[in-house]
Amino acid sequence: MRTKTLLAFVLVVVVFATTTHAQEKTEITFHKPENPARASAPFSEAVQAGNLFFLAGQIGMDRTVGKLAEGGIQGETEQVIKNIKGVLEYHGLDLNNVVKCTVILSDIDDFKDFNAVYVKYFTKKPARTTFAAAGLAAGAKIEIDVIAVK
């Protein structure tokens, strides 16, 4: 009888502890961008939920000149990653904090050339989803969004 009572007590403690933890509210922060000119965008460049950072998709736009990077898919991929690094660094993170990437290519035939650049930067091999879709913003060949953990 004592064993059953002890087991019931332990079960109640475990359920209470689990329920209490599940009810904790995760703080969500919609971060302002580093560049005030980008504050008018209809989305946040980075949203933080607890220790997770969800970055908006980045295209290969060279922000210093306001146009897509030259060099086709490889040039745009380099620029996309540079843009991602910039947002991460603004929040005290780097590419090693990335746990998930979603990659959208305008042409799946660019996969090999994109991947040749990608593997140089994402050496920790975060989880990744890659697919093709027509009509990316500004006529881009690639867009990548990431989830990072602080």
Side-chain angles (χ1 to χ4, degrees):
M1 183 70 148
R2 258 180 90 122
T3 306
K4 286 183 181 179
T5 304
L6 182 59
L7 225 72
F9 176 73
V10 169
L11 181 61
V12 168
V13 169
V14 168
V15 168
F16 177 74
T18 304
T19 304
T20 301
H21 180 69
Q23 292 178 358
E24 291 177 12
K25 185 173 179 175
T26 300
E27 186 175 336
I28 299 173
T29 305
F30 296 87
H31 290 284
K32 291 184 166 95
E34 178 181 17
N35 181 347
R38 297 186 49 82
S40 64
F43 56 86
S44 295
E45 219 171 41
V47 176
Q48 182 179 355
N51 67 338
L52 295 175
F53 283 76
F54 298 84
L55 272 60
Q58 297 288 327
I59 61 173
M61 182 72 65
D62 181 340
R63 295 177 183 161
T64 61
V65 294
K67 64 181 189 174
L68 291 171
E70 295 180 3
I73 187 65
Q74 289 188 326
E76 285 189 40
T77 301
E78 292 273 354
Q79 186 63 51
V80 167
I81 295 170
K82 181 179 178 182
N83 293 348
I84 291 169
K85 286 172 65 174
V87 176
L88 289 170
E89 288 170 2
Y90 182 64
H91 297 287
L93 304 166
D94 62 33
L95 293 178
N96 289 324
N97 295 99
V98 173
V99 296
K100 175 73 167 89
C101 295
T102 302
V103 179
I104 307 164
L105 300 170
S106 66
D107 184 345
I108 199 66
D109 290 338
D110 286 336
F111 181 82
K112 183 179 176 184
D113 291 333
F114 140 75
N115 208 46
V117 175
Y118 176 93
V119 298
K120 292 190 294 186
Y121 293 96
F122 290 99
T123 57
K124 297 276 186 185
K125 297 184 177 182
R128 185 177 88 187
T129 301
T130 306
F131 60 94
L136 297 179
K141 294 182 176 298
I142 185 169
E143 182 170 345
I144 301 176
D145 73 61
V146 302
I147 301 171
V149 177
K150 192 165 197 173

